[in-house]
């Protein structure tokens, strides 16, 4: 009888139906688990903490319930958007996801600080990047060569008088430039007087009036009190900047390594004939 039953087509259909029903039930269970939204206590605490940081007080029970409902709404719509594949071919989302991938590398390297030996080695290899700029302390008198033609002659006459011991009263023309600067970097001097002014100061003798020196505004008599040329920086003084630079370089290296690793897993096909010529890419 069993052999006869095994040969019955109806029995075969029943077995097939049971099998399909079991498979359907299995996937239905997985779908149900996939569609479940769990609002954990950690999530609730996080929502409450964010609210408290913004409002400087904890949320009321009603407000907390509203925060939870808003989170559930966001999660439901997010999952439905993924089911509809709304994340595909969206430039904004693509860029945001790329940024998040790169932030992973940034967070990793920001949490890492190299050993002192490694940082000092980096500093030594990049010593030219940490040179302390030249510094000047000087006084100046201004002569407006753009207004009067005798400015150069007047400046030379004043120079002779000043170095001869004459008082520095009523010398030069009025202007908004500072008459005295102390321990100013070459960069700031150039920003105040125009490019190249600091280089001219570096060639002047110290301790006496000299000039006239030309700036972006006119002519100047200059008394250089002190001049410290560009010099190597002390590691301890620039260590924070060295660390930031090391982290920035490591971040760039890790991002490239991360990309190269991911990139190697893809086979890329560029349709059409790509030709690189004279710095331009032409697609045919």
């Amino acid at each position: 009888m069993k052999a006869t039953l095994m040969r019955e087509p109806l029995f075969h259909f029943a077995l097939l139906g049971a099998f399909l029903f079991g498979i359907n039930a299995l996937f239905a269970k997985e779908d149900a688990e996939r569609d479940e939204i769990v609002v954990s206590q950690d999530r609730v605490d996080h929502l409450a903490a964010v609210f408290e940081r913004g409002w400087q007080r904890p949320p009321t029970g009603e407000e907390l319930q509203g925060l939870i409902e808003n989170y559930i709404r966001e999660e439901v719509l997010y999952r439905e958007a993924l089911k509809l594949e709304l994340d595909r071919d969206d430039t904004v989302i693509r860029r945001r996801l790329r940024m998040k991938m790169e932030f992973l590398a940034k967070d990793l390297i920001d949490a890492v600080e190299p050993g002192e030996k490694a940082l000092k080695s980096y500093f030594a290899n990049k010593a030219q990047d940490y040179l302390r700029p030249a510094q000047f302390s000087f006084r100046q008198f201004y002569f407006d060569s753009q207004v009067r033609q005798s400015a150069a002659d007047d400046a030379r006459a004043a120079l002779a008088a000043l170095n001869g011991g004459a008082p520095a009263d009523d010398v030069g023309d009025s202007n908004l430039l500072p008459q005295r600067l102390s321990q100013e970097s070459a960069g700031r001097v150039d920003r105040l007087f125009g490019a190249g002014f600091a280089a001219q100061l570096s060639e002047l003798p110290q301790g006496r009036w000299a000039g006239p020196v030309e700036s972006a505004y006119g002519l100047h008599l200059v008394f250089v009190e002190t001049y410290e040329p560009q010099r190597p920086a002390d590691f301890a003084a620039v260590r924070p900047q060295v660390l930031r630079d090391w982290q920035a370089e490591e971040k760039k290296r890790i991002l490239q390594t991360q990309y190269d690793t991911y990139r190697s897993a893809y086979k890329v096909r560029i349709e059409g004939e790509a030709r690189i010529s004279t710095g331009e890419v032409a697609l045919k």
Side-chain angles (χ1 to χ4, degrees):
M1 181 175 178
K2 289 184 179 180
T4 304
L5 183 61
M6 291 292 292
R7 290 195 296 268
E8 285 291 329
L10 184 60
F11 179 74
H12 293 165
F13 281 119
L15 284 178
L16 181 60
F19 175 75
L20 293 176
F21 179 80
I23 292 296
N24 181 68
L26 177 63
F27 281 103
K29 181 180 179 180
E30 291 180 356
D31 289 341
E33 291 175 351
R34 225 175 9 244
D35 289 340
E36 181 182 16
I37 296 176
V38 177
V39 185
S40 66
Q41 185 60 52
D42 287 342
R43 175 64 63 181
V44 174
D45 292 342
H46 174 73
L47 294 173
V50 171
F51 180 95
E52 187 169 354
R53 281 199 300 270
W55 294 91
Q56 302 301 308
R57 63 172 179 83
T60 64
E62 183 178 351
E63 287 170 336
L64 183 58
Q65 187 60 41
L67 294 172
I68 295 172
E69 289 298 330
N70 186 64
Y71 169 76
I72 294 172
R73 174 186 291 269
E74 181 181 272
E75 186 67 18
V76 167
L77 295 178
Y78 168 71
R79 294 188 185 191
E80 291 303 313
L82 290 183
K83 289 179 182 178
L84 294 173
E85 298 185 346
L86 297 183
D87 57 318
R88 291 178 177 268
D89 300 322
D90 188 305
T91 302
V92 174
I93 292 177
R94 286 167 61 91
R95 289 176 180 170
R96 289 284 294 176
L97 292 176
R98 171 184 171 176
M99 289 173 60
K100 293 190 76 170
M101 289 294 291
E102 292 178 345
F103 281 153
L104 292 177
K106 178 181 182 300
D107 292 341
L108 174 64
I109 195 60
D110 284 349
V112 175
E113 185 166 331
E116 204 69 6
K117 183 177 180 180
L119 205 58
K120 286 183 177 179
S121 175
Y122 178 86
F123 168 72
N125 292 332
K126 302 278 187 177
Q128 290 298 315
D129 295 341
Y130 301 103
L131 292 175
R132 296 188 63 183
Q135 288 189 331
F136 300 88
S137 293
F138 65 94
R139 289 176 283 161
Q140 64 86 23
F141 289 124
Y142 169 70
F143 294 83
D144 193 346
S145 59
Q146 298 179 8
V147 172
R148 50 195 180 90
Q149 295 180 349
S150 62
D153 293 335
D154 293 343
R156 282 189 284 270
L159 174 64
L162 288 170
N163 284 331
D169 297 327
D170 298 326
V171 177
D173 301 317
S174 63
N175 64 96
L176 298 179
L177 294 169
Q179 280 197 343
R180 186 176 189 279
L181 291 97
S182 178
Q183 302 248 309
E184 289 290 353
S185 68
R188 174 159 168 75
V189 170
D190 279 349
R191 286 194 294 273
L192 287 171
F193 292 88
F197 193 78
Q200 295 182 78
L201 294 188
S202 68
E203 298 176 356
L204 298 180
Q206 298 181 45
R208 66 183 178 88
W209 288 97
V213 179
E214 187 172 5
S215 75
Y217 308 101
L219 300 176
H220 303 262
L221 295 182
V222 181
F223 187 99
V224 177
E225 297 172 346
T226 61
Y227 163 57
E228 296 181 28
Q230 189 182 61
R231 58 207 180 281
D234 180 66
F235 172 75
V238 295
R239 187 186 185 283
Q241 181 61 46
V242 174
L243 175 60
R244 287 193 294 271
D245 292 345
W246 179 90
Q247 289 176 328
E249 195 167 302
E250 281 296 292
K251 174 191 169 186
K252 184 177 180 181
R253 184 185 66 79
I254 288 178
L255 283 175
Q256 187 60 44
T257 301
Q258 176 197 58
Y259 170 73
D260 290 342
T261 301
Y262 292 149
R263 174 70 172 76
S264 64
Y266 291 86
K267 180 180 179 180
V268 178
R269 177 169 54 87
I270 301 175
E271 295 183 346
E273 181 184 351
R275 184 179 63 192
I276 301 177
S277 175
T278 64
E280 296 181 353
V281 177
L283 294 180
K284 282 190 173 183

